[in-house]
Amino acid sequence: MPQVLRFIPMSTNHERSMNNHKGSGELDRVFQALDGFRIEVPSWGFANTGTRFGKFVQAAAATTIEEKFADAAEVNRLTGAAPTVALHVLWDLPGGVGDAAKIKALEQKYGVRAGSINPNLFQDQQYKYGSIANPSAEIRRMALDHLLDCVEIGKALDAPDLSIWIADGSNYPGTQSMRRRIGYMEEVFAATHAALSAEQRMLIEYKPFEPAFYHTDIADWGMALELARRAGPQACVLVDTGHHYQGTNIEQIVTWLLSAGALGGFHFNDRKYADDDLTLGSIDPYQLFRIFHEILSVGERERASIAFMIDQSHNLKGKMEAMVQSVVTAQELYARAALVDHARLSELQDECRLVDAEETFRSAFWTDVRPMVRAWREARGLPAEPLKELAESGYMERITEERGSKNANAVSSYA
C-alpha cells in the first residue's frame, strides 16, 4: 500500500524540550526546510554495481524493476523525503514506451513514482566513437531516436525531467573535429527539445573526463549551459557533484546557474579523487552544506524547480543501508543550511567583517541538528531513527532470503 505521511502534532512536553534545546525559531526553520525537501533515489543504486575491474555481488541487491520499486518505497517510508525513483531506460524499461504500463502499476502498488528518465547513450557498441556527437549521421540518428523514445516514456509516466549524460569525446589529439561535434550536438538537442511537452524539461549534464580522456564533448558547466540555451527554454543544466576537477568551487557554479535561471538539478555523490561515486557527504559534507546554502539564499520561487537526485554507487556498502544513510545525510545538511542567519550574514559581509561572517556561517554547519530532525520525523509519523528502523524491521532479512539465490548466480566480473 502507498505510504501516507501523517502530521502528528508534537506533545507539549516534547515541544518544550526541543525549544529548550534550540530556539523555537530555529526549530521552525528546520521543520519548514524538511517539509519542503525531496530527493530522488536512483533505481540503479539498488542493483549490483561495480567498477571497470569487476563487481562484488550483494545477496540483497535488487534484480528486477519491481524489487527496485519495493526498495525505493522502503527508503521513502523510512525517511519521508524520497517519493520518486529515477529510471534508466535500457536497464529499467527495455521495451521502451511499451513498459510504461508496468511502471504505472508498480507506482500504484508501492506508492512511489517514476522520476527522471535517463537515456543510455554510452553502453551499446555503436557508440564506440560517440552517440549524439558521432561522426556517423546514421549513429547520431540512432541516438536521437533513443532520446525521442525517452521523451515519450516521460510523457507516458508524467515524468517531467529527461536527464541526459553523454560519454562522447576522444582520447587522442587530432582524431576528432571538436568544432563539427558541437554542431552535431546542437542538432540532436534541438530536435529533442522540439519533441518535449510543455511540462517536460531537458537536463544537460557535464563531465570533464572519463571515458573520454583527451576531450569530452560536454566537459563543463559553460558548455552545458550554452548547449541548453541553443536547444531552447525548456533545457537547463544538471550538476553532478562528482563531475569536477579537484578544487573546483561547485557552489560558485551553482550560484551562476541560479543567476542565469538555468539550474535544473543535481546528481549528488561524493569523491576523494575523481568521479568516485561515493555516498554523498561521506568525504566533504561541508561542500554539500555550502551548495545548499547558496540554494536557500535565493527566493522560494527561484529554487522550486531544482531537482535533487542521488547518483552514486554502493559497491561495498549495503544497497539499502547506503541509500537510507544518504537521504538522512542530505536531510541533515539541508537542515543545517536552513539555520544560516541570512540577514546577519549579509550585514557582516557588507561590513567586510571576515571572521564574524565566517563564524556566523560555520556555526550553522557545526550545529547538531539531529535532535531537531528526529523531532520532525516523530511529528510527521516517521521512524525517529531510519537506519535503526531498517535494521530492526526485518526488511533486510526478507529481501536477502528472497533474492539471495538470484544474486548468487550473477556475473561478478566485467572481464
Side-chain angles (χ1 to χ4, degrees):
M1 293 294 292
Q3 170 71 11
V4 178
L5 300 184
R6 297 176 293 112
F7 176 77
I8 303 175
M10 287 189 294
S11 67
T12 302
N13 290 338
H14 193 165
E15 187 171 9
R16 185 180 299 114
S17 174
M18 285 305 305
N19 287 347
N20 289 336
H21 176 76
K22 277 289 178 185
S24 59
E26 290 192 347
L27 188 62
D28 290 343
R29 275 149 58 191
V30 166
F31 271 49
Q32 184 178 2
L34 293 178
D35 280 343
F37 182 75
R38 298 292 180 270
I39 189 165
E40 187 167 287
V41 295
S43 69
W44 53 95
F46 298 108
N48 282 311
T49 54
T51 72
R52 55 192 175 161
F53 301 106
K55 63 182 177 181
F56 300 101
V57 174
Q58 297 188 21
T63 63
T64 66
I65 183 60
E66 179 162 4
E67 290 173 354
K68 294 174 181 178
F69 263 81
D71 288 352
E74 182 68 4
V75 173
N76 189 48
R77 181 187 76 82
L78 294 168
T79 66
T84 59
V85 53
L87 302 177
H88 226 291
V89 171
L90 290 191
W91 305 336
D92 297 325
L93 296 101
V97 179
D99 288 339
K102 178 181 179 180
I103 300 298
K104 297 293 283 186
L106 292 175
E107 291 179 332
Q108 188 69 24
K109 180 176 181 179
Y110 291 103
V112 289
R113 305 185 311 278
S116 62
I117 304 301
N118 293 257
N120 188 311
L121 295 170
F122 53 84
Q123 182 174 309
D124 291 345
Q125 289 297 306
Q126 69 263 25
Y127 297 141
K128 182 176 182 179
Y129 302 117
S131 59
I132 67 172
N134 196 295
S136 165
E138 181 181 1
I139 292 177
R140 294 198 302 275
R141 182 69 229 187
M142 291 179 185
L144 173 58
D145 287 343
H146 178 61
L147 287 171
L148 296 177
D149 286 344
C150 292
V151 170
E152 294 307 310
I153 290 171
K155 292 176 182 177
L157 295 176
D158 298 317
D161 290 335
L162 181 68
S163 180
I164 304 172
W165 174 71
I166 65 166
D168 295 19
S170 66
N171 281 338
Y172 305 99
T175 60
Q176 287 292 308
S177 169
M178 290 184 278
R179 178 66 177 269
R180 288 203 298 271
R181 290 168 75 98
I182 294 172
Y184 299 152
M185 291 190 293
E186 287 180 359
E187 292 175 3
V188 172
F189 281 144
T192 304
H193 188 279
L196 298 174
S197 71
E199 292 75 30
Q200 287 180 300
R201 303 188 301 173
M202 284 171 47
L203 309 184
I204 301 178
E205 192 172 351
Y206 59 91
K207 187 175 184 180
F209 67 93
E210 191 191 37
F213 291 96
Y214 168 61
H215 105 274
T216 299
D217 284 298
I218 311 178
D220 61 35
W221 70 277
M223 299 178 195
L225 176 60
E226 187 59 25
L227 285 167
R229 283 177 167 171
R230 296 180 187 186
Q234 291 166 242
C236 44
V237 178
L238 186 144
V239 177
D240 185 305
T241 50
H243 289 189
H244 298 87
Y245 292 117
Q246 292 279 35
T248 300
N249 189 328
I250 301 176
E251 57 268 29
Q252 184 181 20
I253 295 172
V254 169
T255 301
W256 270 96
L257 291 172
L258 282 168
S259 178
L263 180 60
F266 289 90
H267 277 174
F268 285 130
N269 49 64
D270 215 333
R271 45 77 68 84
K272 175 65 176 175
Y273 297 105
D275 186 22
D276 306 332
D277 268 340
L278 303 178
T279 51
L280 67 84
S282 58
I283 302 297
D284 187 4
Y286 193 37
Q287 180 184 74
L288 187 50
F289 168 83
R290 299 192 306 264
I291 291 171
F292 281 150
H293 164 71
E294 294 302 328
I295 292 169
L296 289 169
S297 296
V298 302
E300 190 171 345
R301 289 185 63 184
E302 291 181 76
R303 63 176 185 264
S305 62
I306 300 172
F308 294 147
M309 297 174 275
I310 293 173
D311 182 16
Q312 58 197 25
S313 292
H314 317 141
N315 301 328
L316 301 180
K317 288 182 176 180
K319 304 295 180 180
M320 285 294 296
E321 296 92 336
M323 197 70 78
V324 172
Q325 182 189 42
S326 294
V327 175
V328 168
T329 300
Q331 289 176 303
E332 291 173 355
L333 290 169
Y334 196 76
R336 291 189 193 185
L339 293 180
V340 174
D341 186 338
H342 293 281
R344 177 62 174 160
L345 185 62
S346 181
E347 292 176 3
L348 296 171
Q349 290 169 340
D350 288 346
E351 295 169 6
C352 295
R353 293 168 58 182
L354 307 187
V355 172
D356 289 341
E358 186 181 21
E359 288 304 304
T360 296
F361 186 73
R362 294 202 315 156
S363 66
F365 175 72
W366 290 116
T367 300
D368 184 0
V369 298
R370 289 174 297 179
M372 288 185 279
V373 176
R374 179 185 179 118
W376 174 81
R377 291 193 184 107
E378 292 176 338
R380 300 301 183 258
L382 298 165
E385 298 181 44
L387 279 170
K388 182 180 179 182
E389 169 68 15
L390 175 64
E392 296 177 352
S393 66
Y395 186 83
M396 293 306 304
E397 289 80 3
R398 178 169 63 79
I399 65 172
T400 299
E401 182 178 357
E402 292 174 353
R403 305 171 187 176
S405 60
K406 290 184 287 185
N407 280 306
N409 296 322
V411 176
S412 62
S413 174
Y414 288 137

